[in-house]
Amino acid sequence: MSTLPPRAGRRCHNALNPLHSCVYFSPDLGKEFGELGIDDASRVYFAARGAALGAAGAGTVTATFYNFSHELVARHLPSVWSDISPQAALDARLRAADSTLRRVLGEETVASPEMAEAAGLALRAAEACTRHARPLYAAHADVAVPDEPHLAYWHAATLLREHRGDGHLAALLSAGLDPLEALVSHTATGKGMAPRWILATRGWRRTDWDAAVERLRGRGVLDAEGELTEAGTALRAELEEATDRMDAAPYEHLGADGVARLTELGRGFLFAAASAGAFPEDLVGKG
């Protein structure tokens, strides 16, 4: 029996996860990797997010990232590890996180008691994350926690993000959604990444997208206009509920008051970051 209000863990995740993700949209990440000789955007992303796995090949990263075309991943892995070591990639990502958070939140917020409080709460929640069947979380759990509170907060957000993400992939598999069907159906909710961003960054072609739409229509998930049917809406709701169940432990461990406070703090940081232009304006949507 849960001790938390309904969807409290999901709301907390939604407050923390984007602040982790904003680093991947930051010019600071490209700058750090560019100074190490890595300047292709996909190559930077796979190295930055995949480095915790070690010098992983394309198969491992395709499996753990789930919604990228294997063809795209294989163009960059494992060859990127001839240019940069996994540890150097982790170090570059952390430097980018530092400069990005200082820029979008401001030095006062970075050094605030609230940031230190949020870091403590998020790290406490992450104590209850589990490694089994969660490869991306488990890999990041072996990375040392940074000393500075804003980086400790970012690191904890990373742990909580990847923990939930690993569980979400299990839910997608159980629902029978392949990588692109997962993206298409999420976009159809109006809360997912816009198609132009998916096609530009995930390695899929428009013909791949259209084929996934047709498969989902055949299953009754999408209607003739590409909108979610009643069954499709229920499917997406069931996916999130299944993910919530697999991701409950960190938030149950933190407790209702701690989750409420962490969500409050996280939303404040996220609003400040968004107001400072941390995310592309056209990132989310159906168009």
Side-chain angles (χ1 to χ4, degrees):
M1 179 75 68
S2 175
T3 62
L4 302 177
R7 294 180 291 282
R10 190 192 310 179
R11 288 192 292 271
C12 193
H13 164 80
N14 289 342
L16 272 64
N17 174 46
L19 199 66
H20 160 86
S21 302
C22 79
V23 171
Y24 298 120
F25 300 104
S26 170
D28 302 312
L29 188 67
K31 175 179 178 293
E32 290 293 343
F33 276 82
E35 291 177 356
L36 298 173
I38 312 295
D39 52 19
D40 178 273
S42 293
R43 203 168 180 83
V44 168
Y45 180 82
F46 294 135
R49 190 174 173 213
L53 294 164
T60 298
V61 169
T62 299
T64 54
F65 287 19
Y66 198 80
N67 59 27
F68 287 79
S69 160
H70 180 66
E71 179 182 340
L72 174 64
V73 179
R75 286 207 292 269
H76 300 290
L77 296 174
S79 62
V80 73
W81 305 125
S82 298
D83 302 328
I84 186 174
S85 71
Q87 186 58 55
L90 286 172
D91 292 343
R93 185 177 72 163
L94 191 63
R95 290 194 299 271
D98 181 32
S99 54
T100 298
L101 294 180
R102 290 181 185 279
R103 176 167 50 80
V104 301
L105 296 180
E107 295 291 342
E108 184 176 345
T109 296
V110 161
S112 68
E114 289 79 11
M115 179 61 74
E117 180 186 4
L121 290 168
L123 287 169
R124 191 186 314 158
E127 292 172 353
C129 293
T130 54
R131 286 179 168 82
H132 46 274
R134 298 183 193 265
L136 266 180
Y137 161 74
H140 284 89
D142 289 340
V143 176
V145 179
D147 293 330
E148 294 185 81
H150 68 295
L151 295 179
Y153 176 76
W154 184 83
H155 175 76
T158 304
L159 296 178
L160 294 168
R161 163 205 167 95
E162 301 297 10
H163 187 268
R164 183 178 180 87
D166 287 335
H168 188 60
L169 301 193
L172 291 172
L173 282 174
S174 180
L177 291 175
D178 71 24
L180 195 45
E181 291 166 356
L183 288 168
V184 170
S185 60
H186 189 210
T187 294
T189 68
K191 299 177 182 179
M193 185 179 286
R196 63 177 295 273
W197 274 95
I198 292 172
L199 296 177
T201 62
R202 266 49 181 172
W204 303 105
R205 295 175 287 270
R206 173 56 70 173
T207 53
D208 299 321
W209 179 276
D210 292 342
V213 168
E214 287 305 312
R215 292 195 300 273
L216 292 172
R217 282 178 178 151
R219 290 176 56 182
V221 174
L222 297 181
D223 63 20
E225 285 72 43
E227 299 292 335
L228 287 172
T229 61
E230 184 176 344
T233 299
L235 174 64
R236 289 302 316 187
E238 289 164 8
L239 280 168
E240 293 303 326
E241 289 165 6
T243 304
D244 287 347
R245 289 193 296 273
M246 288 184 279
D247 192 41
Y251 306 102
E252 293 286 355
H253 178 67
L254 186 56
D257 290 344
V259 169
R261 178 59 174 160
L262 180 57
T263 304
E264 177 187 19
L265 291 168
R267 283 175 173 168
F269 300 148
L270 179 56
F271 178 79
S275 298
F279 307 98
E281 291 184 1
D282 59 349
L283 181 62
V284 174
K286 298 180 182 182

